[in-house]
Each structure stands twice: as C-alpha cells, then as structure tokens.
Amino acid sequence: MSIERRPDDRRPEHPRDHARDPRDHRDRPRRLEVDEESVRKSLAGLVLTIVELLRQLMERQALRRVDQGGVSDEQIEKLGLTLMALEKNMEELREHFGLTEDDLNLDLGPLGPLLPRD
C-alpha cells in the first residue's frame, strides 16, 4: 500500500530551514580587516592602564608605610625618587603611544573611574 502526497499535504517548513546556517562559513570573509594602529594603541592603553593602577597602589602603600613609621630617611628618599622616576616613565610611554591620563582611566559605570585622581 502506498500513500501519495499532494503538494498541499506537505508538512509546514520550519523557519530555520530557510535561515542561513551559522556554521556555514562560505559567506564570511576569510580575513578580518582591522586597523593595525588602532589595535596597537588599544593594547598599549590596556597594558598602561594596568601598570598605572599598580603604580598608584604601590605609591599608596609606600605612603602608608612612611606614615606608620619604621622607614628610615634614606629609604624614604629612595622610595620618593623611585616613584617619581616611575611616574616620569609612564608619562613618556603615554606620549609615545599618543595616550592621555584620561585614556587610561576606565569608566566602571556605577563604581566610578578605575583610577581615582588625587
């Protein structure tokens, strides 16, 4: 016994049957076109943001240690010179990559800026 189907007896097609399969890579470009300079600047900004965050944390920790005492005048002098040199190096790196202090200060939404400015 055979059952014949008429065209109007077909099952309804699923909408996905006509959609492009996301795994089908034939329609996608082989290469992603990116601006190399933009990527370089963004990566440098991210790295310098982390370095600046660590620099500020080290500076605060050093000030706490000095305020608590137990740090000799010689150590205070050395600490101050080291922190000033680090800040100068950060300025030079920002200039090299064409970044400002504000470029490194990520906005964390309701939490405020990542790097508080004193």
Side-chain angles (χ1 to χ4, degrees):
M1 178 173 164
S2 116
I3 299 176
E4 286 186 42
R5 288 189 179 236
R6 294 179 295 189
D8 55 348
D9 284 359
R10 288 184 293 161
R11 294 187 325 200
E13 295 180 286
H14 193 278
R16 191 176 64 200
D17 292 345
H18 291 292
R20 193 175 82 200
D21 185 353
R23 294 169 292 183
D24 185 5
H25 300 287
R26 289 179 297 198
D27 294 338
R28 294 186 185 167
R30 296 281 179 188
R31 287 186 159 202
L32 179 63
E33 297 295 325
V34 293
D35 177 20
E36 186 177 325
E37 182 63 25
S38 174
V39 171
R40 185 176 74 81
K41 188 174 180 178
S42 295
L43 182 59
L46 179 60
V47 171
L48 290 178
T49 297
I50 294 168
V51 171
E52 178 63 15
L53 177 62
L54 293 173
R55 187 194 70 74
Q56 287 186 16
L57 291 172
M58 286 175 21
E59 186 175 299
R60 287 189 187 103
Q61 181 63 26
L63 290 174
R64 274 191 216 107
R65 288 184 60 204
V66 169
D67 289 343
Q68 291 174 351
V71 180
S72 71
D73 289 342
E74 184 181 319
Q75 289 173 324
I76 291 173
E77 181 71 21
K78 203 174 193 179
L79 202 59
L81 292 172
T82 302
L83 290 172
M84 287 182 350
L86 184 55
E87 187 172 1
K88 184 176 184 246
N89 288 339
M90 282 298 295
E91 286 176 28
E92 291 170 0
L93 286 168
R94 280 196 314 268
E95 285 178 21
H96 176 77
F97 289 104
L99 299 167
T100 66
E101 286 184 19
D102 289 336
D103 291 333
L104 304 185
N105 201 356
L106 301 177
D107 181 11
L108 301 177
L111 298 176
L114 175 67
L115 303 171
R117 299 290 174 201
D118 300 324

